[in-house]
Amino acid sequence: MELYNYLKSLHIIFVVTWFAGLFYIVRLFVYQIEAADKPSPDKEILQEQFKIMSYRLWYIITWPSAILASFFAFWMLFFTDLGKSWLQMPWMHLKLGFVFLLYLYHAKCQQIFNQLQRHEVKYTSNYMRLWNEGATLILFAVVFLVVLKNAFNWVYGVIGIFLFSIIIMLGFRFYKRIRERK
């Protein structure tokens, strides 16, 4: 049990840093995209700075955190008795489904990262602001699943995530209006 608690602690630490990296990388994408609209020499200076910041965040924090979070999760689930029992639970299957979605989100961020490193701007800054909420929704779903486990009421959970998505969209529109006034 003590080993399990150490593994769980390490898993949580790297999940936190993984999400921090995902949240911040998309903010850097927003800034990089907006820098593309600046006049020279600001454009070139800002783009190069954001490329360096993104590179360091992505490869020194985000990717290692994703790998280590998954490594410790794998170790807990397949090499401890408690983890093996969790694998029998339906909530864990759903949680792993959300983790799969998180890896898809991460892969899309990798694609956007690669494009921006080549100065290819294919998305608007508003799209990126909205894209940033994808990780937030996954985080909410996973945390509620892990905390509530079998007590998780599917109807309330689905309604809650749907309402949370609406609140995020309304907040996004409100923030956009404020930005446009300035």
Side-chain angles (χ1 to χ4, degrees):
M1 188 64 170
E2 190 172 340
L3 172 64
Y4 181 85
N5 287 331
Y6 280 108
L7 295 172
K8 185 170 150 183
S9 297
L10 290 166
H11 173 66
I12 292 169
I13 289 165
F14 289 111
V15 165
V16 168
T17 57
W18 184 14
F19 271 99
L22 287 173
F23 291 146
Y24 191 47
I25 195 71
V26 180
R27 288 304 307 167
L28 288 175
F29 294 164
V30 169
Y31 302 146
Q32 210 168 346
I33 290 166
E34 289 177 347
D37 294 333
K38 301 270 186 208
S40 289
D42 294 348
K43 173 182 176 176
E44 292 78 16
I45 293 168
L46 288 170
Q47 283 183 323
E48 287 308 309
Q49 184 61 41
F50 290 134
K51 278 176 62 174
I52 292 167
M53 292 170 67
S54 296
Y55 183 88
R56 289 177 180 164
L57 173 67
W58 198 240
Y59 289 115
I60 296 172
I61 295 172
T62 312
W63 262 113
S65 295
I67 292 166
L68 288 168
S70 299
F71 172 77
F72 290 115
F74 185 83
W75 191 349
M76 276 190 305
L77 288 174
F78 294 103
F79 298 108
T80 66
D81 292 335
L82 186 56
K84 289 176 187 175
S85 68
W86 289 132
L87 279 174
Q88 306 305 313
M89 305 291 181
W91 69 267
M92 180 57 80
H93 300 158
L94 187 59
K95 178 196 173 202
L96 293 174
F98 280 112
V99 172
F100 178 74
L101 287 176
L102 186 62
Y103 265 107
L104 291 177
Y105 181 89
H106 188 112
K108 182 63 178 176
C109 285
Q110 177 72 54
Q111 181 186 42
I112 296 166
F113 169 83
N114 291 339
Q115 291 167 350
L116 289 173
Q117 290 294 83
R118 295 186 304 264
H119 297 285
E120 296 173 14
V121 177
K122 296 188 177 185
Y123 301 97
T124 66
S125 60
N126 283 334
Y127 177 87
M128 282 295 113
R129 284 184 176 88
L130 200 55
W131 176 252
N132 201 28
E133 303 311 324
T136 304
L137 292 173
I138 294 170
L139 176 64
F140 267 71
V142 168
V143 168
F144 276 105
L145 275 169
V146 170
V147 171
L148 298 175
K149 293 180 180 52
N150 293 331
F152 188 78
N153 186 317
W154 296 102
V155 175
Y156 293 125
V158 169
I159 291 170
I161 289 175
F162 180 72
L163 290 175
F164 183 67
S165 300
I166 291 172
I167 290 169
I168 286 175
M169 295 295 279
L170 291 173
F172 175 77
R173 287 181 179 209
F174 179 71
Y175 176 70
K176 184 178 176 184
R177 285 186 189 153
I178 291 172
R179 273 192 15 259
E180 288 172 353
R181 286 185 192 156
K182 290 183 179 184

